[in-house]
Amino acid sequence: MLNIQGRPRRVCDGLTRRDVLRAGGAGLLGTSLSTLLAAEEAGRVAGPRAKSVLFLFLFGGPSQLETFDLKPDAASGIRGPYRPIASRTPGLQICEHLPRLAELSDRFAVIRTMTHRSNDHNACHYIQTGHPLPQAQRGAAGVDATGQDWPAMGSVVEYLDRLGDADRPEDQRRDFPSYVYLPNPLGHIQGYDRAGGYAGWLGGTYDALATHIAKRGPDDNPYFRDCDDEELDFRIQGLDGPALMTLDRTRRRVGLLDQFDAARARLDQAQSTREFGRLQARAVRLMTSTAMRSAFDIRQEPERIRDRYGRHLFGQSALMGRRMIEAGARFVTVVWDCPDGYSWDSHTGSHDVGRHLLPGLDQTLSALIEDMNARGLLDETLIVCLGEMGRTPRPDTSTWGRGHWSHCFPAVLAGAGIRGGVAYGRSDKDAAYPSDHPVSPEDLAATVFHALGIAPDDRVSDPLGRPVAVMDGGRPLVELFG
């Protein structure tokens, strides 16, 4: 059973002030109305190519040499255990374990030259925000998110959408959050709370709506096996089921919320608390929303569609991501996390890479592109798929385990006007460094914002109310768009 942020909430004995603030901090009570039309009319940005972004994050770092930048002519100690196959993209050879994507490569672009110097997993922050990780106290493991972090791209979208929402009548505001994170906040399945996916100093009210799923045991990997519907119940706990809340109960709960008016008047005037009254009204609409219940019920999907995406956690989460886009979300992150300590962080060998990781990615990403295209969603949705790094050209072990390597790794982009059949940038003979057209995380973030019609000089407010530019550097890769 999935719970919001892994915290089952009571549904029959009323909401506390802490409940409401926590729900607001989880991004649950946000709405999503864009400011982009106003920006376009003001002449600050071109019309947006994308209404939404589906961001597939492969935590751990897929190897460039085993995915989209094979080097069959490299030395035997570098080129890897898998053979290349031809794709529909001139000059692009793809791993033999990605046959569906090879046949579909005329629908997407591959950037082969992502690069940065943050050669550890804290680069998750860099990739998801477009900013290097700031110095902060991060707990014993040194990876946990803090309030000093830069806001995730999805949180920026949430913030800007709420600005556009502010002047609309209450009954015209949509009840679906802009930013959704599936199936877990990054690291939660390992017991961490990794930086990069949160609103950081922008404030917890702009965090994603995030679901949570637990492992069956210490050695379980739900990304490597079929998951049954009991554990893939993406419906939000407390919003469905015969024993749960009814409209009458909700109305009584509003009375309980009214009791907090006096306490609310004593709260400081931070952004999140200034919106407290609006959040009350949004909470009622959210809790009674048929659209919310329906969007999170993946059982409404035909069996053949669920099979096509893959019954494993990544496949079903990507399918749920598509449902979130259809329901009104604007930035959906779907994570392939690392529950077993390795997965895409393949230090120890290639056995799981060829058996589970590459076939799972091939199945799900190809299904997503085809499904979004068939539904008419691909033209208005930017799909981005990458990890936070690549892997070392030379293996760490005789079984082709590879270490961290942030200096050259791939990304896949599709939809929203991205030209298919493009291989952008070339790496050197060992796929170790870019030979031309290096692409930084700043460039990637600028490209995402460009697709959404967000200008790099658009401002968000820091905790002191000072305006801060969305991006500090980075060049959108406009040449990727048709």
Side-chain angles (χ1 to χ4, degrees):
M1 176 65 74
L2 286 167
N3 308 312
I4 295 305
Q5 293 285 43
R7 301 182 180 98
R9 306 307 306 154
R10 61 185 180 274
V11 296
C12 299
D13 57 353
L15 288 175
T16 67
R17 169 179 170 275
R18 179 175 294 179
D19 289 334
V20 176
L21 290 177
R22 178 180 286 125
L28 261 176
L29 308 182
T31 61
S32 54
L33 289 173
S34 175
T35 60
L36 301 181
L37 292 179
E40 182 181 358
E41 290 174 358
R44 292 192 298 111
V45 295
R49 296 172 179 266
K51 292 182 180 179
S52 53
V53 174
L54 192 45
F55 196 89
L56 307 179
F57 191 68
L58 310 178
F59 170 79
S63 168
Q64 65 278 23
L65 288 150
E66 275 77 62
T67 54
F68 298 100
D69 199 9
L70 278 75
K71 299 290 186 180
D73 296 327
S76 60
I78 289 175
R79 63 176 175 255
Y82 304 132
R83 66 181 180 88
I85 57 175
S87 73
R88 293 181 178 270
T89 301
L92 179 67
Q93 292 183 313
I94 290 179
C95 179
E96 61 182 305
H97 291 294
L98 301 175
R100 289 185 172 114
L101 288 172
E103 283 295 315
L104 202 64
S105 71
D106 57 344
R107 298 278 184 86
F108 59 81
V110 175
I111 299 172
R112 293 182 291 196
T113 51
M114 291 295 304
T115 184
H116 60 79
R117 296 182 179 180
S118 301
N119 200 39
D120 60 35
H121 296 304
N122 278 331
C124 295
H125 178 281
Y126 207 174
I127 295 296
Q128 294 183 92
T129 69
H131 297 269
L133 184 74
Q135 292 291 327
Q137 293 294 323
R138 301 190 178 276
V143 302
D144 289 343
T146 76
Q148 287 75 54
D149 298 341
W150 279 86
M153 287 182 276
S155 292
V156 171
V157 172
E158 182 79 52
Y159 176 94
L160 294 176
D161 281 358
R162 293 213 207 159
L163 282 182
D165 199 16
D167 295 331
R168 291 184 178 268
E170 190 70 31
D171 61 357
Q172 294 182 20
R173 296 168 184 162
R174 288 166 29 192
D175 289 318
F176 212 88
S178 290
Y179 185 25
V180 177
Y181 214 97
L182 302 166
N184 291 300
L186 186 62
H188 278 207
I189 204 165
Q190 282 186 292
Y192 302 127
D193 191 24
R194 294 188 183 275
Y198 295 95
W201 49 255
L202 198 57
T205 190
Y206 302 107
D207 281 343
L209 183 158
T211 54
H212 174 78
I213 188 169
K215 298 193 297 182
R216 287 178 172 174
D219 298 323
D220 181 43
N221 190 331
Y223 294 92
F224 284 7
R225 61 167 172 80
D226 285 356
C227 298
D228 58 42
D229 278 355
E230 182 178 355
E231 63 183 321
L232 286 175
D233 186 358
F234 283 94
R235 292 169 297 161
I236 302 174
Q237 178 128 357
L239 295 183
D240 206 354
L244 302 180
M245 176 174 54
T246 67
L247 182 58
D248 287 339
R249 287 177 183 150
T250 301
R251 287 172 177 162
R252 288 197 296 271
R253 191 176 298 178
V254 175
L256 293 174
L257 290 176
D258 288 341
Q259 299 175 27
F260 298 121
D261 285 346
R264 196 177 80 229
R266 296 192 297 270
L267 295 174
D268 63 53
Q269 293 302 301
Q271 178 69 26
S272 60
T273 58
R274 287 201 303 270
E275 293 185 350
F276 191 79
R278 292 174 56 197
L279 294 183
Q280 286 186 339
R282 288 175 178 174
V284 176
R285 294 202 309 274
L286 177 63
M287 290 186 291
T288 59
S289 168
T290 301
M292 181 68 82
R293 290 187 180 94
S294 177
F296 274 88
D297 189 358
I298 199 170
R299 299 170 303 173
Q300 295 182 14
E301 290 291 332
E303 294 296 306
R304 62 177 180 81
I305 295 295
R306 296 186 66 184
D307 290 343
R308 176 65 181 91
Y309 274 81
R311 293 283 181 158
H312 43 79
L313 186 56
F314 185 65
Q316 298 300 287
S317 298
L319 175 56
M320 181 56 66
R322 189 217 78 204
R323 292 179 64 82
M324 296 295 97
I325 296 292
E326 289 179 310
R330 293 241 296 131
F331 198 105
V332 179
T333 296
V334 176
V335 174
W336 188 321
D337 213 334
C338 188
D340 58 1
Y342 297 103
S343 290
W344 291 108
D345 191 23
S346 51
H347 288 277
T348 60
S350 63
H351 50 286
D352 284 339
V353 174
R355 185 189 314 163
H356 296 293
L357 295 161
L358 294 174
L361 176 63
D362 188 52
Q363 179 180 31
T364 298
L365 181 54
S366 64
L368 179 64
I369 293 172
E370 290 178 336
D371 190 23
M372 297 280 280
N373 185 60
R375 291 171 177 270
L377 295 171
L378 193 60
D379 286 344
E380 59 189 34
T381 304
L382 177 65
I383 297 174
V384 181
C385 181
L386 78 166
E388 73 272 31
M389 64 178 83
R391 313 304 297 181
T392 53
R394 291 194 176 276
D396 286 348
T397 68
S398 61
T399 55
W400 290 100
R402 298 183 189 266
H404 297 174
W405 191 258
S406 65
H407 307 290
C408 193
F409 60 102
V412 173
L413 278 68
I418 292 289
R419 293 188 294 119
V422 171
Y424 185 85
R426 293 179 302 169
S427 62
D428 64 16
K429 63 182 180 62
D430 296 334
Y433 299 95
S435 292
D436 58 33
H437 297 96
V439 177
S440 69
E442 289 91 343
D443 297 333
L444 180 68
T447 303
V448 171
F449 285 136
H450 169 80
L452 289 167
I454 297 172
D457 61 347
D458 277 350
R459 296 296 198 264
V460 296
S461 295
D462 72 8
L464 298 178
R466 298 171 300 192
V468 178
V470 167
M471 287 300 302
D472 181 17
R475 181 187 72 85
L477 303 179
V478 295
E479 57 268 41
L480 291 182
F481 294 89

